[in-house]
Structure formats: C-alpha cells, structure tokens
Amino acid sequence: MVSADFHLPFDGNCLAFTIISTPDMFENAFIPYIRMRNTADMLDPINHCMKHYLNKLCMTLSRHSSSVEVIHDFDLQMPNRRPKVLAQTAAHVSGAAFYYKPDVISADRADGRAGGERSLAPLSPSTQPSPSLSSKLSHSPSGRRLLGYCIHPEFGGWFAIRAVLVLADLTADWMIQRSAKDVLPSVKQRIELLTAFNTNWHDWSAYRDVIAVTKRYSDLQIQYFQSSATDRRAILNTFIDCHKSD
C-alpha cells in the first residue's frame, strides 16, 4: 500500500496498534494535562500531551515486551523530513478507519474491481460514476490534486490519528487482519467527502459529518483547534486559571 520509503523496519507479523484520539480526548486528557503542567508556554501542546500519555502506556507495556516503540504522527525521517509513518494508511490497515483515496477509487472504477486498498468495495452498475464524476476524483476545481481522508465508522471525521505503537519482539501471526469498514459505498459520496475536505476544509462539518456520528468535538475543542497559536495560548491559560480557582 505504500512505497518502500515508508516501510517500517519491523517483522511483518509483529504486534502493532494504531492509536487514535476520540472526541473525548480534549476534555478527558488534554485539559487535565495542561492543568498538571500548569503552563501554556510550550510549543505544540497537543504533541506534548500525546507524548506524555503514550510514554505512560509504553511503561506499562514494557512489562510484556522488551521492545516497545511509538511512532507519532508528527515524527519525521531525517534529513529528508518525510513522515516516519503514514498515519492514514496505518489507520486503514489496522481497521480503525477507512482511508478514501482518490487515486485508488479512480483505478478501481476504471478496471471494475476492488483493488489497491483491498477493502474498497466494488460498486454495482447503478452506482458506477459518470465520466464527469470520475474526473473529479483526482483534482479539485482549482486544479490541485485531491488529498485522501479517513472516516471512522462511529465518529466520522471527529477523531485524530496520533501514533503507531509497535511491540517489535512480539509476533501475532495467528491474528486475523480486520478490514476497515467502508461507510461510503457510492462514488458520489466519496467524491463529496474528498471535495469538501480539499476545497472547504474550514467548514469542519462539511466532511467530518459525512455520516451520522455518535459524538463530535465539543464547541471548546473546535474553538481551540480553529484558533491561532496566540489565541490558543490564551485558551490554555483559562484552563489553568479555572483550575486554580476551583
């Protein structure tokens, strides 16, 4: 599914997990972390938060494995600064969320099979795209190539892929791979998702609510993520001040 540049240096049957954050992460993990740190003066507070909790998880798992490794979504290969892991591909392979990629959808429709991603379901003749729809799979109206996007079966787009956790010395060749759930069976739905994500990304509900979801980000969480770095620091300070006054 990915080029050799992004192959992870582990046994193909070793035990690994894709770590995602659900909509409750902000209130249940991030705000308590900021209050514990008692400071808003840090670069990338979310990244610091993820490192904190995943380091704690690694310490627990080290009782069972002597080789626990976490690859965060923000970790880069040097010196080329490529991501160490393709987070959306990892989510798809692990079955956590379905990765809708325009090139794969186009290829599958062209030859009438469900190909590259394996769990892209073939469409019935009645749902095959027209040529005009197919042309929209590769490029946005501005001519830029469309980026793919993951959809979770419960949270839609209201989640984030945070890391891959690998227990390198534990193999799990007995496990059956779980396929990602395809929640957008028609090409029209897939096109609408990718077009909204690529051309109207500031309207979060346009692509995150592409399916009925069980939970969304809170208004406070949306406000935080849509704010500038300066405004985010002010929001973090309110968390700290409120905690001091409790």
Side-chain angles (χ1 to χ4, degrees):
M1 289 183 61
V2 297
S3 69
D5 292 333
F6 296 101
H7 288 180
L8 300 179
F10 305 108
D11 186 297
N13 286 322
C14 71
L15 191 59
F17 303 87
T18 299
I19 308 297
I20 69 169
S21 60
T22 69
D24 289 328
M25 177 278 297
F26 195 79
E27 282 77 12
N28 292 349
F30 182 60
I31 292 178
Y33 171 76
I34 293 299
R35 289 174 170 170
M36 178 191 69
R37 287 288 304 270
N38 197 34
T39 179
D41 295 327
M42 65 182 86
L43 293 175
D44 301 314
I46 288 286
N47 292 354
H48 281 279
C49 173
M50 293 301 108
K51 284 183 175 180
H52 169 76
Y53 288 111
L54 287 174
N55 283 343
K56 292 179 68 174
L57 177 59
C58 286
M59 291 179 63
T60 299
L61 292 175
S62 65
R63 303 169 191 166
H64 309 284
S65 170
S66 60
S67 181
V68 183
E69 182 168 344
V70 172
I71 308 172
H72 294 272
D73 66 306
F74 51 81
D75 286 338
L76 300 176
Q77 302 178 40
M78 293 299 178
N80 53 39
R81 297 189 64 82
R82 289 194 186 102
K84 283 189 175 182
V85 64
L86 298 181
Q88 294 202 100
T89 300
H92 186 94
V93 170
S94 66
F98 199 101
Y99 186 20
Y100 294 96
K101 295 174 62 179
D103 55 340
V104 174
I105 297 171
S106 297
D108 287 345
R109 300 292 74 76
D111 63 15
R113 63 179 173 80
E117 297 284 287
R118 285 185 303 167
S119 50
L120 271 173
L123 301 179
S124 65
S126 62
T127 55
Q128 291 289 335
S130 65
S132 61
L133 286 179
S134 295
S135 66
K136 296 179 182 178
L137 285 168
S138 297
H139 295 84
S140 69
S142 65
R144 292 188 300 178
R145 185 168 181 79
L146 295 182
L147 301 175
Y149 190 71
C150 272
I151 293 294
H152 189 277
E154 293 184 35
F155 307 123
W158 301 102
F159 80 108
I161 307 159
R162 299 299 181 183
V164 169
L165 188 150
V166 183
L167 307 180
D169 59 342
L170 298 182
T171 58
D173 51 354
W174 49 270
M175 295 183 71
I176 299 174
Q177 185 171 2
R178 169 184 165 188
S179 296
K181 185 175 180 179
D182 183 1
V183 293
L184 301 177
S186 77
V187 165
K188 184 175 184 294
Q189 291 174 301
R190 298 171 185 180
I191 292 173
E192 290 172 348
L193 166 67
L194 297 186
T195 301
F197 173 59
N198 283 270
T199 65
N200 196 23
W201 60 267
H202 56 278
D203 181 1
W204 283 18
S205 64
Y207 53 93
R208 294 177 188 265
D209 283 325
V210 70
I211 62 170
V213 300
T214 59
K215 198 173 186 68
R216 296 178 178 85
Y217 288 0
S218 65
D219 291 342
L220 180 59
Q221 184 171 183
I222 293 173
Q223 178 191 358
Y224 177 81
F225 283 123
Q226 290 187 334
S227 298
S228 66
T230 301
D231 291 339
R232 286 185 180 186
R233 187 172 291 109
I235 294 172
L236 295 181
N237 280 321
T238 64
F239 299 157
I240 296 169
D241 292 341
C242 289
H243 182 58
K244 289 178 179 178
S245 62
D246 288 345

